[in-house]
Amino acid sequence: MATDINQVLQLANQGDAEAQNQLGLMYHQGQGLHRDYAKAIEWYQKAADQGYAGAQYNIGIMYNQGLGLPQNSIKAVEWYTKAASQGIAEAQYNLGIMYYQDQRIPKDPARALKWIQKSAIQGYPEAQNALGLMYYQGKVVNQSYIAAREWYLKAANQGNTSAQNNLGVMYDKGQGVPKNYTKAVQWYTKAANLGNAKAQNNLGAMYGKGNGVQVDHTKAKEWVKRACENGLQISCSNYSLINKVVK
């Protein structure tokens, strides 16, 4: 992959699909070039027309997010499908999520599961967590805490904070595993330290109750405050209550 802007531009103008996609990404993200969504789309399109899967995925993002063109979920699905069919794990995941919960297209649980599974099997952590949640909730698949834990663990070991928090919840509640507050705290802490607001709130609750740790109202207050600052509204309410007790 070329790194010099002039080299990338030269290769892109010569028809190199990888360079065309790279140039599109540079315009898209404003890396080394002024951010310009229209030019990003132009170069993505050149690469996508040659069948370059990464560019097909990137066009899907532009349509899905309405960047440089009107938001269009149908077009996003079309381009994600092209990329997903070539094995792009991120496209498979995004496509699955759209079929699962996007209100702008008809829901298709079977297709959602198909694409999320493909992405998860490839090792994409967001898909692994999503598949774990499906098993946890018993949606689209038969409910199974064992399968949920398996997929959460795969994602958590790759640093996915949602999966880390979800594992904490399972140990906290004894769902599919023996109840273990110490392990719950360990997983909450991993996610909380990486900025996951739900884990921060949950960790605050553990310190407040003394579950898996010594009771520490100061730490409880600190973690709940962090969760509130990260936008978790229930934590803001919790913080107000704790603040009346812990000064």
Side-chain angles (χ1 to χ4, degrees), residues 131-177:
L131 188 56
L133 186 60
M134 286 179 167
Y135 277 111
Y136 181 86
Q137 296 177 334
K139 293 184 177 180
V140 189
V141 293
N142 292 328
Q143 199 280 336
S144 170
Y145 287 140
I146 293 174
R149 179 183 175 278
E150 175 186 339
W151 286 107
Y152 283 157
L153 188 59
K154 290 177 185 291
N157 285 336
Q158 294 192 70
N160 184 280
T161 63
S162 293
Q164 291 169 346
N165 178 66
N166 290 339
L167 278 173
V169 170
M170 294 188 77
Y171 280 109
D172 195 349
K173 297 182 177 180
Q175 295 172 321
V177 292

Side-chain angles (χ1 to χ4, degrees), residues 52-66:
Y52 193 81
Q56 294 169 341
Y57 168 64
N58 288 331
I59 292 175
I61 290 175
M62 303 302 270
Y63 274 115
N64 196 26
Q65 297 181 7

Side-chain angles (χ1 to χ4, degrees), residues 29-245:
Q29 298 180 344
Q31 293 180 341
L33 293 168
H34 180 71
R35 178 171 287 163
D36 188 325
Y37 292 140
K39 287 186 178 179
I41 293 166
E42 176 186 341
W43 285 108
Y44 285 154
Q45 190 68 59
K46 289 178 184 292
D49 287 344
Q50 297 190 63
Y52 193 81
Q56 294 169 341
Y57 168 64
N58 288 331
I59 292 175
I61 290 175
M62 303 302 270
Y63 274 115
N64 196 26
Q65 297 181 7
L67 300 177
L69 35 68
Q71 197 284 333
N72 189 321
S73 294
I74 301 300
K75 286 287 188 180
V77 166
E78 176 185 328
W79 284 104
Y80 281 154
T81 301
K82 290 177 185 290
S85 297
Q86 293 198 66
I88 301 295
E90 295 90 339
Q92 293 170 340
Y93 168 71
N94 286 3
L95 185 57
I97 291 298
M98 289 191 75
Y99 279 126
Y100 188 56
Q101 64 185 27
D102 196 311
Q103 301 297 323
R104 297 165 296 194
I105 63 170
K107 289 186 178 181
D108 192 327
R111 285 185 177 178
L113 178 61
K114 167 190 169 182
W115 288 114
I116 289 173
Q117 280 181 324
K118 284 180 177 291
S119 182
I121 289 168
Q122 286 204 73
Y124 191 58
E126 283 77 4
Q128 292 172 334
N129 180 63
L131 188 56
L133 186 60
M134 286 179 167
Y135 277 111
Y136 181 86
Q137 296 177 334
K139 293 184 177 180
V140 189
V141 293
N142 292 328
Q143 199 280 336
S144 170
Y145 287 140
I146 293 174
R149 179 183 175 278
E150 175 186 339
W151 286 107
Y152 283 157
L153 188 59
K154 290 177 185 291
N157 285 336
Q158 294 192 70
N160 184 280
T161 63
S162 293
Q164 291 169 346
N165 178 66
N166 290 339
L167 278 173
V169 170
M170 294 188 77
Y171 280 109
D172 195 349
K173 297 182 177 180
Q175 295 172 321
V177 292
K179 183 176 287 191
N180 189 321
Y181 290 139
T182 300
K183 287 188 176 181
V185 167
Q186 289 172 351
W187 284 112
Y188 286 152
T189 301
K190 285 178 183 288
N193 283 330
L194 292 171
N196 185 285
K198 290 183 179 179
Q200 291 168 340
N201 184 70
N202 290 339
L203 186 57
M206 301 300 271
Y207 276 110
K209 298 174 183 176
N211 289 342
V213 289
Q214 291 293 320
V215 172
D216 189 326
H217 293 300
T218 300
K219 285 187 177 180
K221 180 179 174 181
E222 288 175 357
W223 281 113
V224 172
K225 182 182 179 182
R226 287 197 199 184
C228 175
E229 291 172 345
N230 278 336
L232 189 64
Q233 193 58 46
I234 191 172
S235 294
C236 299
S237 301
N238 291 342
Y239 181 73
S240 296
L241 293 173
I242 295 172
N243 209 33
K244 292 178 182 178
V245 179

